[in-house]
Amino acid sequence: MPTLEAKDIVVHYGALAAVRAASFTIEAGRIVALIGSNGAGKSTTLKALMGLKRLSSGTLTMDGERIDRTSAAHRVARGIALSPEGRRLFPRMSVLENLEVGAHTVRHGARRRNALEQVYALFPKVAERRRQMAGSLSGGEQQMVAIGRAMMSCPSILMLDEPSLGIAPKVVAEIALAIQRLNEESGISVVLVEQNARLALSLAAQAYVFEQGAVTRSGSGQDLLADPSVRRAYLGV
Ligand code: ATP
């Protein structure tokens, strides 16, 4: 399992620097949380890791090898996958067809079948509803499909953008448990971007706080849960 390292990364939208010299490490096999307010640059950071946004400066390395100039397709092949904010499913396609979209880079049929089995084992509800149109599922179930679709490329680093957004608390707890199980059982790293800081920090071995595009604080999830300024700013305590 590889370690991904971002060093002083800067990402622009036109003249706006959405990410400003952010540095962080996604250690192999860990759950890493990126927290911060709306517009702090978390989603942009995930897009940059995935190769959907170019760096203006800084470096990304995977086990020491530069990947920041490579295409998104190359990074999928290297084991990075993204479940985007808002899920972005194809609502009029079946659940199974949506999952298969995530596997289009995986050549071996056996590997694809294993990935599908893993998704079904993690989310039995997705298995039950595999023939239904994705758009007919509840928000929580659609989120499970979106995570499943990202799992279908057999990633070693799974990035989830706001998996709890707009989902009933009971289902959020179910998804949180699934993320934990996936990490423990298969050893893949999970990068978790969340507005729900309490949830993200309680799952994360390592966490980074983003403010206006910069990393202003980092530590273990437990440390940040106990940090008075984090509690005031992000936990409503
Ligand atoms: P959110 O949870 O709202 O997505 P975030 O921390 O993920 O917040 P980003 O979405 O990365 O933040 O946004 C960082 C900054 O970049 C914000 O100022 C935002 O307005 C701006 N931004 C994001 N996407 C675009 C875009 N496509 N074009 C121009 N500016 C953008």
Side-chain angles (χ1 to χ4, degrees):
M1 292 285 168
T3 290
L4 177 60
E5 199 164 358
K7 206 150 180 269
D8 294 325
I9 64 169
V10 178
V11 185
H12 281 89
Y13 292 105
L16 171 79
V19 181
R20 308 165 195 243
S23 297
F24 54 88
T25 304
I26 312 299
E27 258 188 62
R30 289 202 159 172
I31 299 179
V32 178
L34 311 183
I35 65 165
S37 337
N38 253 321
K42 308 178 301 293
S43 296
T44 304
T45 297
L46 294 190
K47 286 178 192 151
L49 296 180
M50 192 69 255
L52 302 172
K53 275 294 291 173
R54 259 177 89 88
L55 301 187
S56 305
S57 59
T59 59
L60 294 174
T61 53
M62 231 168 143
D63 280 344
E65 189 184 321
R66 290 276 295 267
I67 59 161
D68 45 82
R69 297 285 172 208
T70 64
S71 67
H74 174 88
R75 294 189 212 182
V76 172
R78 284 292 304 262
I80 304 178
L82 171 65
S83 172
E85 189 171 6
R87 310 188 281 264
R88 307 280 186 88
L89 298 180
F90 298 100
R92 306 183 70 83
M93 282 165 49
S94 75
V95 165
L96 179 57
E97 285 164 342
N98 271 276
L99 292 174
E100 282 168 348
V101 168
H104 76 277
T105 56
V106 181
R107 282 202 197 93
H108 292 288
R111 225 167 152 230
R112 266 213 293 265
R113 279 192 297 279
N114 283 343
L116 191 60
E117 287 308 313
Q118 196 186 15
V119 172
Y120 287 166
L122 195 62
F123 298 117
K125 276 184 195 156
V126 170
E128 277 167 34
R129 297 182 185 276
R130 63 187 179 279
R131 310 231 171 268
Q132 243 170 275
M133 275 208 289
S136 71
L137 269 53
S138 73
E141 290 162 352
Q142 289 190 30
Q143 185 59 59
M144 294 173 192
V145 177
I147 296 172
R149 181 181 54 188
M151 287 168 61
M152 289 297 290
S153 63
C154 308
S156 49
I157 300 173
L158 177 66
M159 307 195 292
L160 308 177
D161 199 348
E162 303 274 8
S164 81
L165 199 66
I167 291 172
K170 194 172 149 252
V171 185
V172 169
E174 215 175 297
I175 290 174
L177 215 61
I179 292 169
Q180 216 161 18
R181 248 187 70 196
L182 176 64
N183 168 256
E184 276 167 16
E185 289 173 7
S186 63
I188 76 177
S189 318
V190 178
V191 184
L192 190 55
V193 159
E194 266 296 338
Q195 296 271 341
N196 184 340
R198 191 181 304 279
L199 172 77
L201 294 178
S202 67
L203 291 176
Q206 177 73 19
Y208 296 89
V209 179
F210 278 69
E211 286 173 17
Q212 298 178 355
V215 173
T216 53
R217 211 170 272 272
S218 67
S220 72
Q222 289 308 313
D223 285 349
L224 293 189
L225 273 175
D227 181 304
S229 68
V230 170
R231 291 170 71 81
R232 266 196 308 278
Y234 302 106
L235 303 176
V237 184

